[in-house]
Amino acid sequence: MPGTVLLLAASPVGRGCLVDAASVLPVLAAVPPAVLSGTDTANVVELADPLEPQAVLTRLRAAAAAPGPLTVYVAGQLQLDRRQRLPHLALARTTPATVRYTALPWHWIREELRLRPSGATTLLLDLHADQETWQWLRANPLDCGRNNAVYGRVAPPPARRTLAAPSYMRALATILRSGHRPPPDELHQQALARTAAEAAAGGAAVGADLVLTAPGPAAGDPHAVIAAAVQAGRHPDADALAARHEGAAAHAYGPASEEALHWTEVRADLAMFAGDPVRSCRAWLTVAEARLGAGQPPRSPAVEAAVDRAHHQWGRVRDTGPARELGAALAALRGRVPGRREGALDHVRRELSRLQTQG
């Protein structure tokens, strides 16, 4: 099965730039697509210094929907937004004051990849952090999702008025240009060794980076079994298995627990894959209401994600009756959870008004 490769290099323009992320893209682009992917053939999508987080999300979502193996190469820098103190991948227009609106929230990457099959997704990361984000990372792991293999490093901020280089990613590309792609863990170790040797030769500190090594879920993980059922088109079987886990979690921890809500979210995604936007939208609305009812703030990533996904699925509902019903509930939620995209509540109200004229 063909593989998919997403090459993403991003950093701010101007004084806030810590790393020349895009400088590594020509080296990566010189590697044959099949070697980048580790498959016989592969499609490559390249994003160099993108401007808009929604544009990156669109490309990421399309890559995540591809049925074969997915390899994501990311070079760039992490910053925290001032309101929620959550990590974002800075884009070309990002400044410390505009992180929330101009950078890519890191949890979007996790959300888009979470239902891919076990062993089908590998992230290779070369990230730099400003001082504030570096301190945050010392106490909080960078969450890339439970289903994904993750390798790479996060480097501390460089010296003042110094532009760092994506040396780990460049080492990866140099190794791959030989035409041979070792297993990801071996490739990772080779790149770390090459990066450390280059740093030592240049007189830089060695061993300061935060090393990321996560080989992915073990065989038999229920998410992998569910994802395999989806890939095979057995949507009722996938939902039935997820429903059993949802019921067990609700019984053990309570219906509003993170354990139970996780499986409700899985079932919402499964409904989407099965082409049932009504069921998917309803499930996401349930998740959002449960999280708000449990005291989670309207701007929390989990609440925003649930409402955004409900909104997306509602837009795919074609039957007027369910669209009206779900739209009314969505409008009420949008009043509390406006999300990151301007005009979301106005969009719901306009569509509801249009639906009312349809008789």
Side-chain angles (χ1 to χ4, degrees):
M1 188 174 292
T4 300
V5 176
L6 179 62
L7 306 179
L8 171 57
S11 54
V13 174
R15 291 187 304 170
C17 185
L18 301 178
V19 57
D20 185 9
S23 66
V24 77
L25 282 178
V27 191
L28 282 170
V31 179
V35 179
L36 285 172
S37 177
T39 56
D40 290 338
T41 60
N43 302 309
V44 177
V45 178
E46 180 178 311
L47 294 174
D49 283 326
L51 300 178
E52 300 292 342
Q54 288 292 335
V56 179
L57 178 64
T58 298
R59 297 294 186 88
L60 176 64
R61 185 167 289 165
L70 171 63
T71 308
V72 182
Y73 295 81
V74 182
Q77 70 185 62
L78 295 175
Q79 292 180 227
L80 300 180
D81 71 297
R82 289 181 172 177
R83 184 184 296 272
Q84 295 175 278
R85 318 287 298 167
L86 293 174
H88 291 59
L89 183 71
L91 303 182
R93 294 174 177 168
T94 300
T95 67
T98 65
V99 170
R100 178 173 170 82
Y101 303 101
T102 61
L104 180 77
W106 193 259
H107 62 267
W108 283 10
I109 298 176
R110 179 195 68 214
E111 287 294 316
E112 292 305 319
L113 301 179
R114 66 195 181 114
L115 269 189
R116 286 185 51 79
S118 176
T121 308
T122 302
L123 288 90
L124 296 163
L125 310 176
D126 189 350
L127 304 170
H128 284 69
D130 60 17
Q131 190 61 46
E132 182 182 38
T133 310
W134 181 252
Q135 293 301 322
W136 185 90
L137 288 168
R138 302 293 290 263
N140 301 274
L142 188 65
D143 186 359
C144 300
R146 71 177 77 198
N147 282 352
N148 310 315
V150 182
Y151 300 97
R153 62 94 180 245
V154 183
R160 291 190 64 185
R161 290 187 288 275
T162 300
L163 193 61
S167 52
Y168 172 85
M169 192 65 71
R170 188 186 301 142
L172 284 179
T174 301
I175 296 166
L176 293 174
R177 284 183 71 177
S178 69
H180 170 64
R181 188 184 196 270
D185 54 346
E186 185 178 331
L187 175 64
H188 171 61
Q189 294 301 326
Q190 291 181 20
L192 287 177
R194 184 182 288 262
T195 304
E198 290 179 359
V206 177
D209 296 348
L210 173 65
V211 176
L212 307 173
T213 307
D221 183 284
H223 299 84
V225 178
I226 289 170
V230 172
Q231 292 290 325
R234 295 185 287 107
H235 298 288
D237 292 345
D239 184 66
L241 180 56
R244 287 201 296 272
H245 284 283
E246 180 186 35
H251 178 75
Y253 305 103
S257 64
E258 279 297 324
E259 292 82 358
L261 287 177
H262 166 73
W263 287 107
T264 308
E265 292 177 342
V266 169
R267 296 189 69 195
D269 275 339
L270 292 175
M272 175 191 68
F273 290 137
D276 190 343
V278 171
R279 185 158 55 93
S280 182
C281 178
R282 200 183 306 279
W284 283 118
L285 291 172
T286 298
V287 169
E289 292 285 6
R291 291 192 179 282
L292 290 168
Q296 296 185 26
R299 291 187 180 272
S300 69
V303 173
E304 283 188 340
V307 179
D308 287 348
R309 286 169 179 264
H311 195 154
H312 178 72
Q313 288 300 296
W314 180 65
R316 295 174 176 270
V317 176
R318 296 293 174 259
D319 292 340
T320 302
R324 286 174 179 165
E325 173 205 346
L326 294 170
L330 178 61
L333 260 181
R334 272 299 186 204
R336 302 166 64 189
V337 187
R340 294 169 182 257
R341 301 194 70 172
E342 292 186 13
L345 176 57
D346 290 340
H347 173 262
V348 178
R349 288 172 172 167
R350 285 196 307 271
E351 287 300 303
L352 274 177
S353 178
R354 183 183 63 81
L355 288 167
Q356 295 301 330
T357 66
Q358 293 184 0

